[in-house]
Amino acid sequence: MTAAAIRNVYDGAVCPPMVCRTTSRTAVSATRSMLAGSLDFAVVVSGAFIASYVHVEDDSLNRPGPWLIVCVVLLTLAAFSMFGVYEPWRGRPLSALIARTGAGWLVAQLCALALLPVLPDAGLVEWPQFAYWAGLSGVAFIVIRVFACAVLAHVRLAGFDLCKVAIVGDGAYATDVIAGLASASESGFRAVALYHPEGDALTTREAVPTFGDLDAFAAAVRAERVTELWFAMPMSDACVIQAVLREFGSEIAHVRVVPDEHGLGSISGAATRLIDMPTINLAVPLV
């Protein structure tokens, strides 16, 4: 089942993103991407400056020319964007971020090597200097991202930069999703409400408020200013999902389906792993 088919099942119930809260979160995401791009720019330039002090065949001091540096900077920013390095990374594995960063930097270096013959100042840099520049900057890219993820994890464990999640589901699988959120508290996801359509009693180890009435659930979600709505239930329960989505309209910025992994093999094109669980994005991610 493709992402388009999933949307058709829900009869177009996902509305356009809300204006005020979504705009704010988009601005935060754009600011973080700009900051990351600025740091990457500084890493490339600093790496070139340090590499210029590597003496190769003689005592002359050759430095990468400005055209080469500008070319590498632009290629790096483009490659990182292409590989999704600047995407929001909340709840996603750090190893994947490191792999994408390394792959993007490698692609940027290969493209720069291919353009060397046409750059007017390419002859100013020796091959060992170029290799030293590439290695030093590549390590710096990874170290910066590991450090940033570690800092964000500590900040979120302290109760800041949290992302509130409302769960719609029934049975043991919904409680498993809530338990997964609690065990990955460094991601910043916090379950604040559970809607149990069956209406009978359902308890969770994390003491998340449970509602059997949709109106009461919607009131709690609005009071908590929830920005994530996760459906932990079979996709065959389209009627329940439609009812919940129509209740909130465009108030929820992120709408995801968290399917049971046993049925994930038939899904293609829209799956992402968050807190080590598969999710299917029904709305464009903004944080």
Side-chain angles (χ1 to χ4, degrees), residues 2-267:
T2 64
I6 294 172
R7 293 187 180 93
N8 290 337
V9 168
Y10 301 139
D11 196 27
V14 179
C15 301
M18 59 185 176
V19 177
C20 297
R21 198 182 312 168
T22 300
T23 301
S24 174
R25 302 190 73 86
T26 304
V28 172
S29 178
T31 300
R32 291 178 177 176
S33 297
M34 290 179 60
L35 177 60
S38 300
L39 288 174
D40 292 337
F41 170 84
V43 166
V44 173
V45 175
S46 300
F49 179 77
I50 296 174
S52 67
Y53 287 93
V54 177
H55 301 287
V56 187
E57 296 177 352
D58 51 38
D59 291 334
S60 61
L61 183 61
N62 293 332
R63 294 182 177 179
W67 286 105
L68 178 59
I69 295 176
V70 170
C71 177
V72 173
V73 167
L74 294 178
L75 288 172
T76 300
L77 297 179
F80 282 1
S81 299
M82 180 180 66
F83 280 88
V85 175
Y86 297 132
E87 293 177 0
W89 216 258
R90 181 192 296 268
R92 299 166 70 178
L94 178 60
S95 58
L97 177 59
I98 294 174
R100 293 192 184 194
T101 302
W105 180 236
L106 178 61
V107 168
Q109 292 300 291
L110 293 176
C111 293
L113 288 174
L115 293 175
L116 276 179
V118 301
L119 295 175
D121 53 8
L124 298 178
V125 61
E126 300 287 346
W127 287 108
Q129 287 180 325
F130 191 88
Y132 187 78
W133 178 16
L136 181 64
S137 298
V139 171
F141 287 137
I142 293 175
V143 169
I144 288 174
R145 281 162 174 78
V146 171
F147 177 76
C149 289
V151 170
L152 286 175
H154 282 84
V155 168
R156 290 162 181 167
L157 285 171
F160 300 97
D161 191 33
L162 300 181
C163 185
K164 296 181 179 180
V165 182
I167 309 293
V168 178
D170 51 16
Y173 187 59
T175 59
D176 288 343
V177 171
I178 294 175
L181 288 172
S183 64
S185 54
E186 70 280 357
S187 68
F189 289 116
R190 294 292 186 275
V192 297
L194 169 63
Y195 173 47
H196 188 217
E198 298 298 328
D200 52 345
L202 183 65
T203 58
T204 63
R205 295 188 299 272
E206 290 71 25
V208 175
T210 304
F211 302 89
D213 179 70
L214 180 57
D215 292 335
F217 172 73
V221 167
R222 293 185 176 106
E224 291 284 350
R225 300 181 62 85
V226 169
T227 56
E228 293 262 353
L229 182 62
W230 292 14
F231 292 95
M233 59 196 318
M235 295 181 186
S236 58
D237 293 337
C239 294
V240 175
I241 298 175
Q242 285 181 357
V244 174
L245 292 176
R246 290 195 179 106
E247 169 66 31
F248 290 106
S250 60
E251 296 178 54
I252 304 296
H254 297 230
V255 180
R256 311 180 196 269
V257 174
V258 188
D260 193 331
E261 296 215 47
H262 293 94
L264 192 59
S266 61
I267 300 168

